[in-house]
Amino acid sequence: MGVKVAVIYYSSTGHVYQLAKAIEEGALETGAEVRLRKVRELAPESVVAGSPDWAEHAAATADVPEATLEDLLWADAYLFGSPTRYGNVSAQLKQFIDTTGGLWFERKLVDKVVSGFTSSDEVHGGQESTIISMYNVFMHWGAIIVTPGYADDVVSAAGGNPYGASSIHVEKDPTKEELAAANFQGRRVALTAARFHSNRS
């Protein structure tokens, strides 16, 4: 049986969700068990309904389960995704992360293999700082951060973000190159977690 991977994300209009799906597929290709989970929406329903793209995406992903702390206990590896918000993660993902204090205190998140991914409207819209803000948290957890680096040519083809898969929200969907980089990140994290746990046993 493969390692257990949780892909936990927030997406308002779908770009981060599509990256999360590509990451899920990459992890599944390695034989990993994968849970795809969204975090709870914090915006008022009236605000979501007032944006056609936001409302459409919310309806399309209504069946995606919401993330819980149990998903973190279950998984050997995590990939967290968020759109950029002023160079930081969204309030929705931050709220979920802020609920992990008890697990952190009990050292339940130590040695989990983790990585991050994001999307922004512009090339320099805060992608790197958003991902690094996640990694600041993971260092407090004592987790093992695994980035895509430049370990495969798909990273450069997608724009060259070694911190984590990312997309630029110019079109409705991420490019095939961006999705390929996300798929690679899912595979890399799952394979790294498998090697790590094999060496520990």
Side-chain angles (χ1 to χ4, degrees), residues 124-140:
H124 300 292
Q127 293 183 352
E128 293 174 3
S129 61
T130 296
I131 294 174
I132 290 171
S133 71
M134 297 184 205
Y135 293 171
N136 289 335
V137 174
F138 304 158
M139 286 187 278
H140 281 257

Side-chain angles (χ1 to χ4, degrees), residues 112-135:
K112 300 289 189 175
V113 174
V114 294
S115 201
F117 58 102
T118 192
S119 178
S120 65
D121 282 345
E122 306 288 345
V123 175
H124 300 292
Q127 293 183 352
E128 293 174 3
S129 61
T130 296
I131 294 174
I132 290 171
S133 71
M134 297 184 205
Y135 293 171

Side-chain angles (χ1 to χ4, degrees), residues 3-5 44 49-50 61 78 94 98 110 112 140-141 148 150 160 162 165 171 174 176 188 191:
V3 295
K4 298 171 182 176
V5 178
T61 57
Y78 319 132
K94 178 68 163 56
D98 283 348
V110 171
K112 300 289 189 175
H140 281 257
W141 288 353
Y150 293 105
E171 303 295 336
K176 66 180 186 299
R188 177 167 164 78
L191 290 172

Side-chain angles (χ1 to χ4, degrees), residues 35-46:
R35 289 184 182 179
L36 180 70
R37 299 289 188 265
K38 64 186 178 187
V39 297
R40 181 169 298 175
E41 180 60 77
L42 301 180
E45 289 184 12
S46 59

Side-chain angles (χ1 to χ4, degrees), residues 37-89:
R37 299 289 188 265
K38 64 186 178 187
V39 297
R40 181 169 298 175
E41 180 60 77
L42 301 180
E45 289 184 12
S46 59
V47 173
V48 176
S51 170
D53 289 343
W54 199 346
E56 178 185 349
H57 178 67
T61 57
D63 62 335
V64 177
E66 287 188 353
T68 68
L69 295 181
E70 192 278 327
D71 294 314
L72 300 184
L73 291 172
W74 170 84
D76 303 305
Y78 319 132
L79 294 105
F80 285 90
S82 171
T84 64
R85 293 291 184 265
Y86 298 117
N88 209 326
V89 298

